[in-house]
Amino acid sequence: MILETRGIGKSFGSVLALREVSMGVEAGQVTCVLGDNGAGKSTLIKILAGVHRHDSGALLVDGAEVRLSGPRDALERGIATVHQDLAMIPLMSVWRNFFLGAEPRRGLAFDVRTARRVAREELRAMGIDIRDVDQPVGTLSGGERQSVAIARAVHFGARVLILDEPTSALGVKQAGVVLRYIARARDRGLGVVFITHNPHHAYPVGDRFLLLKRGTSLGEYAKADISRERLTALMAGEAELRALAHELERE
Amino acid sequence: MTDERLARAGVLRRLLIRPELGAVVGAIVVFAFFAAQSPVFRSLDGVANWLDPASTLGIMAVAIALLMIGGEFDLSAGVLTGTTGLILVTLATEYGFNVWPAMLVSLVVALAVGLLNGLIVTRTRLPSFIVTLGTFLMLQGVNLGVTKALTGTVQVGGLRQAGGYASAQAVLGGTVEVAGTPFRVAILWWLLVTAAATWVLMRSRPGNWIFAVGGDERAARAAGVPAARTKIALFMTTAFAAWLVGSMLALRYTSVQANIGIGQEFIYIIAAVIGGCLLTGGYGSAVGAAIGAVIFGMADKGIVFLGWDADWFKFFLGAMLLLATLANRLVRRYAEEVRH
Ligand SMILES: Nc1ncnc2c1ncn2[C@@H]1O[C@H](COP(=O)(O)OP(=O)(O)O)[C@@H](O)[C@H]1O
Ligand SMILES: [Mg+2]
């Protein structure tokens, strides 16, 4: 287990965003975190990424308990994160974003030549077709942006790649492209944490599934222990679905 | 066929997204306007004349541009040029300091003010507009209060008699002859500062961090950028520039008014905006700000050369600012236009 949480919890003032959540990430596997809006998915992965500090429970990296001092600490331990709301800087070029926070140096200078070249090569190696690495990231489509962020994490030797809802704002075709990059990162031996509220995106690539609801865990399942139908039903909330069906029937 | 058009659109786009483009066009237009009507304006003497105000303003505008690209403002920068000058002259004339150590003391004070601005802004997350408005008012009070208490007047003078004056004056306040015309040495400093700032922005790691913290501070932080340190360094850079300019002006005029620099802070911001800086941060250039300062210098002196009333300068300022802001917005929209 590269990364693991045991009964982890976090509150913001009086809001209990996360309570007693346990999960694990293995190398070369995809752990999917599923839950409705506000379930605490982003809060959980922000703890894994070093953005938030947990209030209770334990966070383990390579089996040893740690407290991450910040995003940099997480990065140094090989945990790379593509956040939902803070992925990249729109006004900066693709290559500047690609190396942000880890700029290659040549003497005192930022080696921009190498940065441009490597960014172009890495994107091509992942099969990502970006016309021009000088264009601002803001001009990329959502799928392209996610792909660049994934290529970036792979390039920097991440062992764990955390993706917060990379497919939720995308159309069917673009979501498929991103799912393919997730599979490619997994095949390269990375442990992937894939957050989504769409079981149809999660099931094809996932190896284990953590279900969150209002900050608590509904359990973590291996793929062998749960069918797509059961996952979908759990996600939607069976009781609520039944009530909804009942309500709609009467009309 | 389509590929070729795409390539051409790419070149156009890349040219258009240069932040300093608007300032370059503006500078050419303003130069042509004054040069066509005033032979003095386009003579070497004239150039030396309008580059003088451009240079001291330019040093400040470049520093403010870096700060604005980093997403912050500094309203205390103008008054700080006064504070540093006052410290220099007071120590040298009232306390018998040599000019050089007096400048060292004023540098330490300036950097402390910058550090304080930076610490307050990064720790409290308050808008720098408010924080530095506070420092602005405090420094303004200190400048007047201390000067009055020490001298009984609102100015300090007599720097010429101080030890080390001649050498310091030659380095910071003097002139250099080019083709028989004396140019202010400040112009050299301004070019140096602009070149250094451009290098930092475009070719150094902190440059990448400056764009990032101004573009989206939280995203930058999540990427591992030391956001607070970057911003504090920017505030201290601005303070350093204020010290440089304050010392230059004190050495040139040998006396300093206690109310000097008030109102200048907006001129710096305007020059930076004309140079392509977005008020929202994350975008801009040092060269642009330097050119913005040239436009100022040209208008400032050009209006005098044409024998117009100096009041028109303010009108001109406002018009340039509006035009530049509109142009920046168009450029930014074009640069950010989403393509699929
Ligand atoms: N920084 C924060 N401050 C206060 N409340 C927060 C903060 N971040 C998240 N929350 C709250 O925690 C809960 C879980 O949010 P989040 O983890 O973003 O959910 P999800 O990503 O699953 O949609 C929500 O009720 C949200 O309002
Ligand atoms: Mg979320």
Side-chain angles (χ1 to χ4, degrees), chain B:
Chain B
M1 186 66 216
T2 27
D3 275 346
E4 201 177 296
R5 260 191 310 178
L6 200 71
R8 211 176 304 145
V11 171
L12 182 67
R13 178 182 290 261
R14 210 173 293 175
L15 197 65
L16 270 182
I17 62 177
R18 293 299 322 152
E20 55 277 87
L21 182 80
V24 171
V25 173
I28 292 170
V29 170
V30 172
F31 178 82
F33 175 79
F34 287 113
Q37 302 179 67
S38 161
V40 188
F41 185 87
R42 56 180 189 259
S43 72
L44 204 55
D45 282 323
V47 172
N49 194 283
W50 50 256
L51 276 184
D52 177 21
S55 63
T56 43
L57 166 60
I59 293 171
M60 292 309 297
V62 166
I64 290 291
L66 294 190
L67 183 66
M68 283 177 68
I69 295 169
E72 302 293 345
F73 291 100
D74 187 352
L75 297 184
S76 68
V79 178
L80 192 57
T81 64
T83 309
T84 52
L86 288 167
I87 293 173
L88 164 58
V89 178
T90 306
L91 288 179
T93 58
E94 304 273 325
Y95 297 94
F97 272 58
N98 180 289
V99 168
W100 291 103
M103 276 172 56
L104 191 64
V105 174
S106 69
L107 174 61
V108 171
V109 173
L111 291 179
V113 171
L115 177 65
L116 196 71
N117 279 335
L119 279 177
I120 297 175
V121 168
T122 52
R123 290 280 157 85
T124 64
R125 309 264 163 105
L126 285 170
S128 51
F129 205 83
I130 294 300
V131 171
T132 59
L133 182 62
T135 351
F136 161 75
L137 291 170
M138 285 161 65
L139 286 178
Q140 196 178 327
V142 169
N143 283 3
L144 276 161
V146 174
T147 307
K148 271 191 198 157
L150 286 179
T151 67
T153 66
V154 289
Q155 77 162 54
V156 288
L159 189 60
R160 204 180 298 278
Q161 279 76 45
Y165 170 78
S167 55
Q169 146 75 15
V171 174
L172 292 175
T175 56
V176 195
E177 294 248 331
V178 178
T181 304
F183 281 81
R184 284 283 174 188
V185 71
I187 297 168
L188 285 179
W189 284 104
W190 165 55
L191 295 176
L192 192 70
V193 165
T194 307
T198 302
W199 185 84
V200 167
L201 266 183
M202 308 309 288
R203 290 287 180 273
S204 80
R205 303 186 69 202
N208 217 33
W209 302 342
I210 292 171
F211 281 111
V213 294
D216 186 340
E217 186 177 348
R218 294 195 317 136
R221 221 181 272 277
V225 171
R229 259 196 292 149
T230 304
K231 290 200 165 179
I232 291 171
L234 286 173
F235 278 106
M236 291 180 74
T237 303
T238 306
F240 177 85
W243 166 79
L244 187 60
V245 169
S247 305
M248 280 176 176
L249 296 179
L251 286 161
R252 183 188 299 185
Y253 298 117
T254 70
S255 67
V256 180
Q257 303 285 329
N259 66 352
I260 203 161
I262 298 169
Q264 288 296 302
E265 57 285 338
F266 282 111
I267 310 276
Y268 309 152
I269 294 173
I270 293 168
V273 170
I274 289 175
C277 286
L278 289 179
L279 288 167
T280 42
Y283 188 78
S285 97
V287 172
I291 297 173
V294 171
I295 294 179
F296 262 84
M298 289 197 292
D300 188 11
K301 297 294 178 182
I303 284 170
V304 176
F305 287 156
L306 292 191
W308 292 2
D309 197 300
D311 294 338
W312 286 103
F313 180 62
K314 280 280 157 63
F315 176 86
F316 171 84
L317 263 188
M320 279 303 295
L321 179 64
L322 275 181
L323 272 176
T325 317
L326 286 172
N328 287 353
R329 198 176 57 162
L330 284 180
V331 169
R332 179 182 169 163
R333 278 218 190 126
Y334 188 56
E336 282 194 315
E337 185 185 296
V338 179
R339 296 180 296 172
H340 292 283

Side-chain angles (χ1 to χ4, degrees), chain A:
Chain A
M1 215 64 97
I2 312 179
L3 194 58
E4 195 180 349
T5 70
R6 287 190 192 147
I8 217 156
K10 170 82 191 167
S11 49
F12 297 104
S14 60
V15 183
L16 249 174
L18 212 59
R19 199 165 40 203
E20 291 282 319
V21 172
S22 301
M23 64 166 296
V25 190
E26 301 256 32
Q29 291 204 352
V30 180
T31 299
C32 297
V33 179
L34 293 118
D36 211 344
N37 288 330
K41 305 183 296 294
S42 295
T43 305
L44 173 63
I45 64 105
K46 278 180 179 160
I47 292 171
L48 302 181
V51 175
H52 293 326
R53 239 66 63 213
H54 52 283
D55 307 325
S56 55
L59 175 63
L60 294 88
V61 177
D62 299 318
E65 189 169 348
V66 295
R67 275 191 95 72
L68 299 173
S69 64
R72 215 172 197 150
D73 189 7
L75 276 172
E76 273 156 21
R77 293 171 192 273
I79 305 165
T81 311
V82 180
H83 292 279
Q84 181 178 21
D85 51 345
L86 21 112
M88 275 187 281
I89 322 274
L91 280 168
M92 289 171 74
S93 66
V94 170
W95 64 268
R96 279 190 180 273
N97 267 289
F98 196 95
F99 284 101
L100 184 59
E103 297 82 359
R105 263 192 298 191
R106 182 192 213 138
L108 273 176
F110 173 13
D111 189 351
V112 298
R113 270 262 220 56
T114 303
R116 262 205 198 89
R117 181 175 52 78
V118 172
R120 201 178 295 125
E121 285 169 4
E122 282 290 327
L123 292 174
R124 206 169 291 151
M126 286 284 284
I128 301 162
D129 174 34
I130 299 280
R131 283 158 296 250
D132 175 7
V133 291
D134 276 305
Q135 72 188 93
V137 158
T139 64
L140 299 179
S141 70
E144 286 175 327
R145 242 182 271 194
Q146 290 293 337
S147 310
V148 171
I150 294 171
R152 178 174 189 263
V154 171
H155 170 74
F156 284 108
R159 298 187 298 143
V160 180
L161 175 60
I162 304 173
L163 302 165
D164 193 1
E165 306 219 18
T167 56
S168 63
L170 305 182
V172 178
K173 201 168 148 210
Q174 289 211 19
V177 171
V178 172
L179 290 177
R180 217 164 285 140
Y181 293 132
I182 292 175
R184 206 165 294 175
R186 174 200 64 196
D187 294 342
R188 282 197 176 192
L190 277 79
V192 180
V193 181
F194 172 29
I195 288 94
T196 177
H197 54 244
N198 189 335
H200 301 291
H201 288 168
Y203 202 78
V205 289
D207 295 296
R208 39 171 77 217
F209 305 91
L210 169 73
L211 284 117
L212 290 182
K213 185 173 184 177
R214 285 200 223 108
T216 56
S217 171
L218 297 182
E220 192 187 21
Y221 303 87
K223 196 165 194 167
D225 302 332
I226 191 165
S227 66
R228 181 195 294 256
E229 290 67 36
R230 178 93 188 109
L231 187 69
T232 312
L234 270 175
M235 255 299 290
E238 276 168 309
E240 278 131 67
L241 259 192
R242 227 174 284 130
L244 184 67
H246 186 61
E247 182 187 323
L248 293 175
E249 249 165 43
R250 287 209 311 199
E251 295 207 2

